[in-house]
Amino acid sequence: MVEKRHLRSGRIVVKVGTSTLTHPNGKLNLQAIDQLCYTLSGLVNEGKQVVLVSSGAIGVGLGLMGIDERPSSIPQQQAIAAVGQTQLMTVYQQRFAIYGQKIGQILLTHDVVDYPISHQNVLNTFENLLRLNVIPIVNENDTVAVDELDHHTKFGDNDQLSAIVATTIDADLLIMLSDIDGFFDKNPRKFADATLKSKINHIDKQTFEGAGGQGTKLGTGGMTTKLKAAQKMLDAGKSMILANGENPSIIFKLLQGEPLGTLFQTQK
């Protein structure tokens, strides 16, 4: 019998990818979003502090505009992100309101996090929202940031953004929901004998070599970006879980210590 995990979880960052929030055709996955809002509202009711890092602005924008492929030009991507972000926040507002949960929006660019004064201002905003039991919903400000998207990376993607947010606000745990069950020793979509790793204490070159592969056509993340995020959490002495976000209520099971997905945690 596999042991239950022991996790600190007073302050949690949850990151959801485009693949969780949208169907392959780009339309919003309302069932998944509703489960997410229900679950996070329940956590706040339990007394936990929760931050949501949400991808999906460009994916939702593509669906709304009836565009099948993510465009390559930055201005087109930024325009689509502007459309998608509005729709995404409208849906979040509606769904969280059903459960009586207040939300706030924080759009970040890397220079805001890097510059000491704006960094402190952002931290103050997070602290005050959390103190008021508001869930901050964070995304990169795609409409002005040219450092992410498909070009030269700074945040790189929302996987790494979530780890930056988690370490900035001193969160105990980062839960990353994706379209895969966790970290495998090799790509499970290519190799039938791929094995899921329940726990990883240390990330090295061999770990990255097993990561391979890109994200979905609507998202930017792949397994390598998730490993980089996990590395940042481990370096800060924090924990991260990578799990399948098909049903976001899996978060309840994760916090109860069920050994689902992959736990990245330094050896105690």
Side-chain angles (χ1 to χ4, degrees):
M1 185 174 174
V2 182
E3 282 186 32
K4 285 212 165 191
R5 295 166 174 165
H6 298 284
L7 301 166
R8 291 182 61 199
S9 58
R11 179 174 283 191
I12 308 162
V13 174
V14 175
K15 187 267 173 178
V16 289
T18 303
S19 60
T20 296
L21 299 172
T22 62
H23 295 291
N25 63 5
K27 300 294 184 184
L28 283 171
N29 185 337
L30 295 175
Q31 184 176 3
I33 292 172
D34 191 63
Q35 280 291 327
L36 178 67
C37 297
Y38 164 78
T39 302
L40 299 189
S41 300
L43 296 181
V44 175
N45 287 349
E46 290 176 21
K48 297 186 185 298
Q49 295 183 327
V50 180
V51 174
L52 173 61
V53 176
S54 174
S55 299
I58 291 180
V60 172
L62 289 171
L64 274 173
M65 302 300 289
I67 301 171
D68 292 332
E69 292 293 327
R70 186 185 178 97
S72 57
S73 86
I74 291 176
Q76 283 180 299
Q77 289 183 29
Q78 290 173 322
I80 289 166
V83 173
Q85 186 67 28
T86 305
Q87 172 73 356
L88 196 56
M89 287 305 297
T90 298
V91 172
Y92 276 137
Q93 182 68 52
Q94 292 169 345
R95 298 287 159 153
F96 273 113
I98 293 171
Y99 304 109
Q101 178 58 52
K102 294 181 175 62
I103 61 172
Q105 179 176 238
I106 299 180
L107 296 176
L108 294 175
T109 51
H110 210 294
D111 55 338
V112 170
V113 178
D114 287 342
Y115 187 61
I117 294 176
S118 56
H119 179 276
Q120 187 60 50
N121 289 337
V122 167
L123 182 57
N124 292 343
T125 301
F126 274 114
E127 292 291 347
N128 279 281
L129 288 171
L130 293 172
R131 183 173 53 80
L132 294 167
N133 294 322
V134 175
I135 295 179
I137 299 181
V138 184
N139 195 357
E140 178 148 14
N141 194 348
D142 287 333
T143 57
V144 298
V146 296
D147 299 302
E148 189 225 351
L149 304 175
D150 299 326
H151 306 272
H152 299 295
T153 61
K154 274 202 169 180
F155 275 138
D157 46 76
N158 277 355
D159 291 338
Q160 290 177 77
L161 171 60
S162 65
I164 289 169
V165 168
T167 53
T168 296
I169 67 171
D170 197 28
D172 300 308
L173 177 67
L174 169 60
I175 296 175
M176 193 173 290
L177 299 183
S178 184
D179 59 351
I180 195 165
D181 291 337
F183 183 78
F184 290 78
D185 58 352
K186 48 190 165 182
N187 190 336
R189 295 186 177 117
K190 293 181 180 177
F191 301 97
D193 62 341
T195 304
L196 176 67
K197 299 282 191 181
S198 178
K199 187 172 182 180
I200 293 178
N201 304 118
H202 172 71
I203 295 172
D204 54 22
K205 183 181 177 183
Q206 187 177 357
T207 319
F208 276 103
E209 285 173 355
Q214 297 297 311
T216 63
K217 69 171 186 174
L218 298 178
T220 57
M223 191 55 68
T224 299
T225 65
K226 291 165 179 54
L227 279 183
K228 288 179 179 177
Q231 182 70 71
K232 188 168 185 66
M233 295 301 290
L234 292 177
D235 289 346
K238 307 293 185 180
S239 302
M240 176 181 129
I241 298 176
L242 173 62
N244 195 313
E246 183 178 4
N247 185 343
S249 64
I250 192 177
I251 293 170
F252 285 132
K253 295 179 180 178
L254 296 173
L255 294 181
Q256 287 163 3
E258 292 194 28
L260 301 167
T262 303
L263 170 64
F264 296 85
Q265 189 178 63
T266 54
Q267 201 74 42
K268 295 280 168 75

